[in-house]
């Protein structure tokens, strides 16, 4: 992205926001990627009340989009203009999930629903455990849930 401060690696936080995963920058945990339900729903990249880039996404979006980000200064106007970071400049960011340096992928097969089968790569951490997203459809993911005695889940986010 043009705003160099936001460039880098983000890991899945153990916290959720608006019922969706949130990511924090590895070398500056105040920089985050999270989903807001207000104004039709959108993903934000920045800090609380200090946004660099925004991306519209479907209301059932579990992951931020890889493309389609816009400069927050181009979106906010009037009283909300103060929320756009003055250092947000083009080009806008592009995102991608990648395999971690020390982790491999997992293969799911024989699931009752065929669309769940496939390769999953580690995309971050959730509740201090690895989280994996499917390569062909990142809305499917495998994660560990601490609540209810702790257990692994495999599925897709649906609000």
């Amino acid at each position: 992205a043009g705003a160099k401060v936001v460039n880098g690696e983000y890991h899945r936080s153990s916290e959720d926001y608006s019922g969706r995963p949130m990511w924090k920058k590895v070398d500056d945990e105040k920089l985050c990627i999270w989903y807001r339900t207000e104004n039709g729903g959108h993903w934000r990249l920045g800090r609380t009340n200090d946004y660099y880039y925004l991306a519209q996404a479907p209301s059932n979006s579990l992951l931020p989009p890889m493309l389609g980000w816009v400069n927050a200064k181009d979106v906010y106007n009037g009283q909300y203009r103060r929320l756009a970071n003055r250092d947000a400049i083009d080009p806008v960011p592009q995102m991608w999930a990648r395999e971690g340096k020390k982790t491999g992928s997992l293969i799911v097969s024989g699931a009752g629903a065929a669309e769940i089968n496939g390769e999953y790569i580690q995309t971050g951490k959730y509740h201090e455990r690895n989280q994996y997203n499917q390569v062909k459809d990142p809305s499917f993911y495998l994660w560990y849930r601490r609540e209810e005695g702790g257990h692994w889940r495999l599925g897709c986010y649906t609000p």
Side-chain angles (χ1 to χ4, degrees):
K4 302 294 184 211
V5 68
V6 303
N7 293 335
E9 188 172 341
Y10 290 73
H11 284 263
R12 168 91 185 257
S13 170
S14 60
E15 306 166 47
D16 283 351
Y17 193 92
S18 296
R20 290 172 176 80
M22 179 170 65
W23 285 265
K24 293 184 177 185
K25 190 171 182 202
V26 171
D27 61 357
D28 181 357
E29 289 199 351
K30 290 185 179 186
L31 279 167
C32 300
I33 302 168
W34 73 101
Y35 187 85
R36 291 288 299 224
T37 56
E38 293 86 0
N39 301 320
H42 58 275
W43 287 92
R44 293 181 178 180
L45 172 56
R47 298 178 188 93
T48 303
N49 295 323
D50 181 25
Y51 317 127
Y52 288 85
Y53 303 100
L54 306 170
Q56 294 296 318
S59 62
N60 64 349
S61 170
L62 178 63
L63 297 174
M66 295 182 185
L67 302 172
W69 290 84
V70 295
N71 190 316
K73 291 189 292 190
D74 296 338
V75 175
Y76 285 117
N77 53 38
Q79 69 182 36
Y80 295 106
R81 181 84 176 163
R82 65 180 172 72
L83 300 177
N85 189 292
R86 69 179 184 275
D87 294 328
I89 58 174
D90 291 337
V92 297
Q94 295 182 10
M95 298 184 187
W96 61 92
R98 68 174 177 82
E99 185 174 351
K101 295 175 185 169
K102 297 180 182 176
T103 62
S105 61
L106 302 173
I107 304 295
V108 173
S109 62
E115 65 270 14
I116 293 174
N117 293 331
E119 182 180 10
Y120 288 70
I121 59 170
Q122 183 186 349
T123 55
K125 298 273 189 184
Y126 185 70
H127 287 167
E128 300 172 12
R129 305 257 183 130
N130 292 342
Q131 175 191 307
Y132 300 85
N133 288 78
Q134 189 185 67
V135 173
K136 69 181 176 186
D137 182 353
S139 67
F140 287 104
Y141 62 109
L142 173 67
W143 76 103
Y144 183 81
R145 183 176 167 92
R146 283 192 298 222
E147 294 82 7
E148 302 167 7
H151 57 276
W152 286 91
R153 289 185 169 189
L154 175 62
C156 180
Y157 175 79
T158 54

